[in-house]
Amino acid sequence: MKKQIGFYVNSQRCIGCNTCAMACKNQYHQEVGVVWRTVYPLAEEIYPHRERAFYSLACNHCEKPTCLEVCPVEAYTKRDKDGVVVHDQDRCIGCGSCIRSCPFGVPKFNPALKKAEKCSFCWQRLDAGLKPGCVNACPTEALQLIDLETFRESGATRSAPGFPNFPQINPSVRFRAPRQPIVIRRETT
Amino acid sequence: MSELIKEKIEQTLDCPVTRRRFIQSLLLAGAVAAMPGGILKPFRSDAGIVYEGDYQIFRNACPRNCYDTCSIKSYVKDGVLQFIEGSPESTFTDGGLCQKGYEYVRRAYSPDRIKYPMMQEGRGTGNWKRISWDQAMDKIAKKILALKEKDGSLLGLALTKYSGNFGITNYCVEGMMSSLGYTTRMVGTPCWPAGIDAQNFDMGDMWCNDPEDMANSRYLILWGVNPAACSVHSMKYIYEAQERGAKVLVIDPVFSETAAKADMYWQVKTSTDGALALGMARHILDKGMVDEGWVKQNSIGFDEFADYLRKNVTVEWAAKESGVPAKQIVRVAEEFATADPATIWIGYGLQRHTNGGANVRAIDALVAMTGNIGKTGGGARYGHLYTWGFNYHALVMKQPKGSKGWTGKAGPKGEFDFSEGGAAKYSDRGLNINKTAQELLDATDPAVKMLWVSCKNPLSQDFDKNKLKKAMKQLEMVVVVDQFFNQTVELADIVLPVTTLFEEWTVDVSYWQYWLSINEQAIKPMFEAKSNLEIAAALSAKMNALSPGSCTYPTKIDTKEWMIKEFNKGIYGLFGINSWEDLKKGPRKAKVHPASWSDLKFKTPSKKYEFKSETAVKWGHKALPEYKAPRKPYAPFQLLTPHSKFGIHSQFINIDWMHDINPEPFVYINPEAAKKKGISDGDKVRVFNKVGEMVLKAKLGDNVPTDTLLMYEAWFAKNPYNVNNLVDDTSADMGAYKTGAPGVAIHDQFADIAKA
């Protein structure tokens, strides 16, 4: 197996602060409305309290990325050294194929450039020996950079409730489910 | 060229938001000679960004009113701030900032910033005209001189300033007022005064353990505090304690983000925290689980407290009062008393009540009677000012010779007023900051005619907005120093653009953690912005030109020099540094024992922990930490208006980057209550009470109890939303002793709700 890095989304530690999402903007200054990383609150069917458990998601840098498959101009490449899926905006013609076909809704349309764009895993930072901006920023180590080959953590899973399950394209992300505290509600009002 | 002029006029009249105009305005401001535009257009994901050796790195610190006060590393290229990170040298900040801090690059370069001094023709009209700094200072100085001429003093000039920028050199604003004469000051604090007094009655000071030491605790009660939203860097220590086997209990009326991470959550009835603490205390007493040795050696008045508990408190009563089941109270009381060490983090929310100080004293007592004060991993944690021993060089200014001032009862002082009290004949006139509207309306001989606002957004943050608007009408001149056209600026006559943290020199410490950071000037001031220090110097120059000797503030200030002047041997010793320049290598932590009060020498009159406090009696309270009943409801729902994780008071939420994450305000209502009112998720609703009303969207969720509505305080740009349309200015019980004025019962508010 080729080396593949990914994100570990530990909902047990995630407080939903959105620091990762803003750290991404701090690094890349995306156009307003163009978002690479989103912190999704889990639906109440998955976690019984509204906006109290989260998945922080960006590009999953899949083993078999749909974006790369469908792109007519080969704007997407997958790096051999770490499996990061890179989008080349010089090649991109803004046709929107990747945006329509990514099952995770990752690539976004940049209305100013009229081109697609997405999370780069901060490959330039990786190449400089730094953690990606979002991972570096997380105050609770809820979002981590992992090497899928060596990553072992009890309780970590490949799929998670609410996250689309596409084993054939194999997204490079692992999850850990949130915990629930014992909740003692008021007896009197 | 005519196009350029047109642009210029448009900018002067409004704050344009498009990038093209933004660049244009930079050109006009002459700020761009070498502006490479890197910051002005997004980086591309495939661009050849280089991370090593290519940046100038500066040290900054977040100066906001926040527990975390993060140490920042700023990366600048060609004079443009590119991105920022947390300082890795600080174990607290640990290389990362928060959702708000990471917005700062956009804040510095926001097209919405106030760019020049401006004058509004007709408050609230939006009819802003650009004026020069000289014109602005001329108008302001002439008004000040006219007031002095008419009244014989400058008591007609009032200052309202609080926590918008805690950079130490920003105390120059108070200094500037003193340098003009004796003036009127809004004093006190809306934030935490009742708890400060409570801790001073009990221990003689407010002094918390190092938050990093929470990791050593075996039992943590997070009481009315939500670090997952308001102190994200504290969470890792709580997790560490959990991983080492500690139990975490969150007590809060709201099932908060932090509650979701706890082992157990108690939904307490708002403002009954004292009953809960006393109920636990009674059970600990009955079970013989009091730390007798600690109590005997280190406290006074415990027997009287025990007597009070036996006569007035039962677990059943506490359960009925607080809503927390008796068997839970019993169980946790026993667990807390036997865990060693155990700690309670007391949040600021639980003391924003008419019984808030009394509630904090009851919780302090619970920590003390179990012998957990002065102990690593223990403590009744609230806050501290232990690291704030600067020179306050910018603050301490002499009034001009012959100045006349207040001869009544000496003005009270706030908790951050570090000026030495003198035996002067005159003083400033202090008005209660928590009743700003009423105090402005009531002040006479002379009435307040001019208001200077800095580091504060009173129309957003002060209580009873309608009354405040009325009070503003009597003012002849309102000057606001700010970065954005917020709700206070809307009612100003003159607005002055102030620098962001990246554009000035200062030094910062926290009231929670124990790190010290310098704040270097990383970029040139944007547009025509000036720091508060430079504004003070500019005003002084104009005052002295018009009337020599009328202002004692220096007229030429090197802000870096003034930052250096804040340091002293005490600070150097405390932080183990030889010079401020050591901080260029990164922030430093105070060399202190992780536990406050580790020598168990309290600063009370008895030098012991005082379960019974005569000082409290002197200030009109009970000697013992007795229960005080909550404020009586004046409407069907309890209304809570706490911090959002996306802002600090009225800052951060207005920036467009945050808009992508947090676009609009909501009121949270329990689905059961919503059903009774015929309200569905997303419905437009009207929340109303005797103070005013708000129309906004409803969000349904069982995180709030059935009798409670919750909306976060915030200023959304271009949105009239303001929680202080619904919050009155009723005082909290304590605060006058140490902060000059009682706190305000922000969370003792009530409202009704209906479909709009």
Side-chain angles (χ1 to χ4, degrees):
Chain A
M1 182 183 155
K2 274 190 187 158
K3 180 171 168 145
Q4 176 69 57
I5 60 169
F7 290 110
Y8 178 35
V9 180
N10 185 343
S11 287
Q12 196 174 309
R13 294 182 73 91
C14 179
I15 52 177
C17 63
N18 276 272
T19 300
C20 49
M22 195 59 88
C24 184
K25 289 174 184 281
N26 164 64
Q27 203 77 67
Y28 297 103
H29 315 151
Q30 292 93 340
E31 289 285 338
V32 172
V34 179
V35 176
W36 290 3
R37 176 167 289 281
T38 304
V39 177
Y40 294 93
L42 302 193
E44 281 158 278
E45 297 77 50
I46 302 169
Y47 191 83
H49 310 287
R50 187 169 188 174
E51 295 167 351
R52 291 296 179 266
F54 311 86
Y55 297 153
S56 167
L57 299 173
C59 176
N60 301 307
H61 300 273
C62 305
E63 188 195 349
K64 297 192 176 100
T66 315
C67 53
L68 190 147
E69 295 287 325
V70 301
C71 180
V73 292
E74 295 179 9
Y76 287 95
T77 48
K78 192 168 171 65
R79 306 211 307 176
D80 277 343
K81 64 196 263 189
D82 53 15
V84 169
V85 177
V86 177
H87 175 250
D88 180 348
Q89 256 174 346
D90 282 339
R91 298 185 81 103
C92 179
I93 54 171
C95 69
S97 294
C98 56
I99 295 169
R100 287 188 297 274
S101 61
C102 172
F104 307 102
V106 165
K108 296 289 187 301
F109 189 69
N110 179 329
L113 294 175
K114 299 195 170 26
K115 291 181 181 199
E117 62 181 67
K118 70 161 193 77
C119 156
S120 64
F121 222 128
C122 289
W123 62 262
Q124 298 92 338
R125 287 181 62 100
L126 296 177
D127 289 353
L130 302 168
K131 288 179 189 168
C134 53
V135 171
N136 183 59
C138 179
T140 60
E141 292 182 0
L143 184 66
Q144 292 178 36
L145 163 70
I146 52 169
D147 181 333
L148 292 189
E149 204 176 7
T150 55
F151 177 67
R152 298 281 176 277
E153 185 158 315
S154 65
T157 56
R158 272 168 178 267
S159 61
F163 183 73
N165 191 21
F166 291 100
Q168 64 281 14
I169 55 175
N170 200 10
S172 306
V173 60
R174 296 293 180 269
F175 294 93
R176 184 164 195 170
R179 285 194 319 170
Q180 284 185 50
I182 298 163
V183 174
I184 307 295
R185 291 192 188 272
R186 263 156 45 193
E187 282 184 332
T188 53
T189 49
Chain B
M1 200 60 206
S2 61
E3 181 63 21
L4 261 180
I5 291 164
K6 197 169 151 245
E7 289 273 355
K8 188 171 172 174
I9 292 165
E10 278 171 8
Q11 281 149 17
T12 312
L13 293 175
D14 200 354
C15 46
V17 291
T18 68
R19 174 163 291 135
R20 188 172 64 89
R21 283 199 201 160
F22 177 51
I23 295 167
Q24 205 74 71
S25 61
L26 281 171
L27 286 166
L28 288 169
V32 200
M35 182 71 77
I39 198 69
L40 303 174
K41 64 172 193 271
F43 290 108
R44 291 160 37 160
S45 57
D46 59 340
I49 311 167
V50 180
Y51 284 94
E52 283 164 348
D54 211 26
Y55 295 92
Q56 266 183 292
I57 294 172
F58 293 90
R59 298 291 178 171
N60 291 96
C62 182
R64 308 276 88 91
N65 183 353
C66 175
Y67 284 106
D68 286 15
T69 310
C70 293
S71 307
I72 299 174
K73 247 176 123 171
S74 303
Y75 292 77
V76 172
K77 196 191 281 183
D78 301 328
V80 177
L81 181 64
Q82 303 286 339
F83 65 95
I84 60 173
E85 290 186 344
S87 295
E89 297 85 359
S90 162
T91 48
F92 185 81
T93 305
D94 197 24
L97 303 171
C98 75
Q99 66 280 55
K100 304 172 286 287
Y102 277 115
E103 188 196 70
Y104 269 134
V105 173
R106 183 58 169 173
R107 178 158 165 174
Y109 295 111
S110 170
D112 295 340
R113 269 186 76 171
I114 298 168
K115 302 175 182 68
Y116 331 101
M118 290 184 130
M119 204 175 74
Q120 185 171 220
E121 284 182 8
R123 287 183 204 154
T125 60
N127 188 17
W128 288 99
K129 298 271 190 294
R130 179 178 176 179
I131 54 176
S132 68
W133 271 101
D134 188 62
Q135 286 169 314
M137 289 300 137
D138 193 65
K139 283 179 193 299
I140 293 165
K142 281 180 177 155
K143 183 68 195 176
I144 293 172
L145 290 168
L147 273 180
K148 191 154 76 172
E149 176 75 26
K150 186 170 147 278
D151 294 336
S153 79
L154 274 180
L155 295 170
L157 167 62
L159 169 68
T160 189
K161 172 183 181 267
Y162 188 54
S163 66
N165 186 341
F166 272 149
I168 299 298
T169 53
N170 283 289
Y171 288 101
C172 66
V173 181
E174 288 89 337
M176 179 185 80
M177 298 307 272
S178 295
S179 75
L180 292 164
Y182 295 100
T183 58
T184 294
R185 309 285 182 90
M186 310 315 298
V187 294
T189 153
C191 184
W192 56 344
I196 293 179
D197 273 14
Q199 293 224 311
N200 272 279
F201 294 142
D202 295 336
M203 291 170 269
D205 202 355
M206 162 187 69
W207 185 18
C208 60
N209 282 32
D210 181 354
E212 300 179 35
D213 153 75
M214 283 192 292
N216 299 317
S217 190
R218 301 291 301 164
Y219 205 100
L220 292 94
I221 299 181
L222 308 177
W223 203 322
V225 69
N226 186 12
C230 303
S231 178
V232 296
H233 296 92
S234 293
M235 287 303 288
K236 58 181 172 287
Y237 306 111
I238 295 166
Y239 286 164
E240 196 180 329
Q242 271 177 318
E243 280 154 15
R244 293 192 201 170
K247 182 167 176 178
V248 174
L249 166 68
V250 168
I251 304 176
D252 201 305
V254 179
F255 183 76
S256 65
E257 290 89 342
T258 307
K261 300 299 168 195
D263 297 285
M264 185 187 266
Y265 161 69
W266 283 0
Q267 184 191 60
V268 64
K269 184 167 168 54
T270 301
S271 193
T272 65
D273 310 273
L276 200 47
L278 294 170
M280 286 198 267
R282 170 69 201 263
H283 185 69
I284 289 167
L285 184 68
D286 287 355
K287 281 278 170 182
M289 294 172 125
V290 174
D291 187 334
E292 298 284 355
W294 193 97
V295 164
K296 248 189 211 114
Q297 198 140 29
N298 304 307
S299 76
I300 60 161
F302 183 74
D303 290 343
E304 287 98 322
F305 177 52
D307 207 37
Y308 164 78
L309 289 175
R310 287 194 193 96
K311 281 186 185 142
N312 298 281
V313 173
T314 64
V315 169
E316 291 67 31
W317 165 82
K320 196 157 177 284
E321 199 70 14
S322 67
V324 177
K327 64 174 192 232
Q328 292 295 337
I329 296 176
V330 163
R331 186 178 143 197
V332 166
E334 290 177 16
E335 287 174 359
F336 186 82
T338 46
D340 185 19
T343 188
I344 299 179
W345 181 353
I346 304 164
Y348 303 136
L350 78 74
Q351 53 90 55
R352 290 174 185 150
H353 292 282
T354 56
N355 62 355
N359 288 342
V360 173
R361 287 198 70 201
I363 296 171
D364 284 350
L366 181 60
V367 184
M369 72 192 286
T370 51
N372 278 303
I373 289 178
K375 202 186 258 184
T376 305
R381 298 160 190 262
Y382 186 70
H384 76 87
L385 293 173
Y386 194 83
T387 52
W388 291 67
F390 297 95
N391 287 337
Y392 299 95
H393 172 79
L395 164 74
V396 183
M397 289 289 149
K398 280 213 161 42
Q399 288 75 14
K401 269 194 192 127
S403 294
K404 295 203 166 61
W406 191 244
T407 51
K409 205 180 141 214
K413 288 180 171 184
E415 83 285 28
F416 287 111
D417 187 339
F418 300 95
S419 60
E420 303 281 319
K425 192 170 153 198
Y426 297 112
S427 70
D428 294 320
R429 172 170 62 178
L431 301 179
N432 182 351
I433 199 169
N434 291 326
K435 291 185 185 288
T436 292
Q438 197 59 49
E439 295 273 74
L440 286 176
L441 288 168
D442 292 348
T444 50
D445 297 325
V448 175
K449 292 292 178 196
M450 181 173 182
L451 183 66
W452 186 284
V453 184
S454 185
C455 306
K456 192 169 195 298
N457 183 358
L459 267 297
S460 194
Q461 297 309 121
D462 280 350
F463 313 102
D464 198 338
K465 188 181 176 187
N466 288 328
K467 190 155 74 179
L468 187 54
K469 275 167 122 171
K470 197 175 138 200
M472 298 282 284
K473 283 199 180 129
Q474 73 177 36
L475 301 172
E476 292 166 5
M477 183 182 275
V478 177
V479 180
V480 179
V481 180
D482 215 309
Q483 287 162 359
F484 296 97
F485 287 92
N486 59 36
Q487 294 180 349
T488 300
V489 177
E490 274 176 32
L491 293 188
D493 300 299
I494 292 176
V495 67
L496 304 175
V498 73
T499 45
T500 65
L501 64 152
F502 306 107
E503 299 155 54
E504 66 179 14
W505 286 90
T506 194
V507 53
D508 298 271
V509 285
S510 159
Y511 50 73
W512 176 240
Q513 39 91 339
Y514 284 83
W515 290 83
L516 165 70
S517 314
I518 53 162
N519 184 80
E520 298 178 287
Q521 187 182 339
I523 56 171
K524 290 206 173 96
M526 291 297 291
F527 313 107
E528 291 188 9
K530 286 185 194 289
S531 65
N532 272 311
L533 262 178
E534 291 164 328
I535 293 172
L539 181 61
S540 187
K542 181 57 79 177
M543 290 291 297
N544 282 297
L546 293 173
S547 169
S550 64
C551 182
T552 64
Y553 221 87
T555 54
K556 286 205 168 53
I557 288 173
D558 178 330
T559 57
K560 183 181 176 185
E561 288 300 313
W562 278 53
M563 184 273 294
I564 298 167
K565 285 175 202 279
E566 291 297 351
F567 287 88
N568 54 43
K569 276 193 177 147
I571 290 282
Y572 287 157
L574 180 60
F575 289 93
I577 53 176
N578 296 313
S579 153
W580 68 273
E581 294 194 75
D582 292 351
L583 298 168
K584 285 180 166 179
K585 295 193 279 282
R588 295 292 281 265
K589 189 175 178 181
K591 310 274 176 215
V592 287
H593 194 285
S596 55
W597 308 114
S598 61
D599 61 1
L600 296 165
K601 287 179 185 145
F602 294 96
K603 291 190 193 163
T604 52
S606 66
K607 310 281 179 235
K608 306 262 187 192
Y609 183 95
E610 297 193 351
F611 287 100
K612 187 179 178 194
S613 165
E614 291 308 328
T615 316
V617 174
K618 214 186 294 172
W619 285 88
H621 310 295
K622 302 273 188 194
L624 296 168
E626 292 183 25
Y627 187 57
K628 194 173 175 196
R631 185 182 187 186
K632 287 214 162 52
Y634 61 79
F637 289 88
Q638 182 95 38
L639 175 70
L640 301 177
T641 56
H643 282 220
S644 153
K645 59 187 168 190
F646 301 116
I648 289 178
H649 303 308
S650 64
Q651 300 194 72
F652 295 105
I653 288 173
N654 61 303
I655 305 288
D656 50 10
W657 283 8
M658 196 63 90
H659 195 262
D660 278 347
I661 297 171
N662 180 46
E664 60 180 342
F666 287 96
V667 57
Y668 291 84
I669 180 170
N670 187 288
E672 252 180 70
K675 201 174 167 190
K676 281 184 196 155
K677 292 277 184 183
I679 294 167
S680 308
D681 196 52
D683 277 356
K684 206 181 236 194
V685 293
R686 201 164 63 84
V687 180
F688 54 99
N689 64 13
K690 61 175 187 173
V691 187
E693 69 166 51
M694 291 291 316
V695 175
L696 72 173
K697 272 188 187 169
K699 205 177 227 188
L700 273 53
D702 71 355
N703 297 330
V704 291
T706 51
D707 62 353
T708 300
L709 303 174
L710 181 148
M711 43 211 274
Y712 292 111
E713 55 162 347
W715 171 57
F716 289 84
K718 302 173 188 86
N719 184 325
Y721 177 76
N722 186 332
V723 295
N724 286 314
N725 285 328
L726 297 164
V727 176
D728 74 10
D729 60 1
T730 295
S731 292
D733 54 346
M734 294 181 192
Y737 170 39
K738 280 289 162 183
T739 73
V744 65
I746 302 171
H747 299 317
D748 279 336
Q749 304 299 328
F750 303 89
D752 204 350
I753 185 168
K755 241 174 128 160

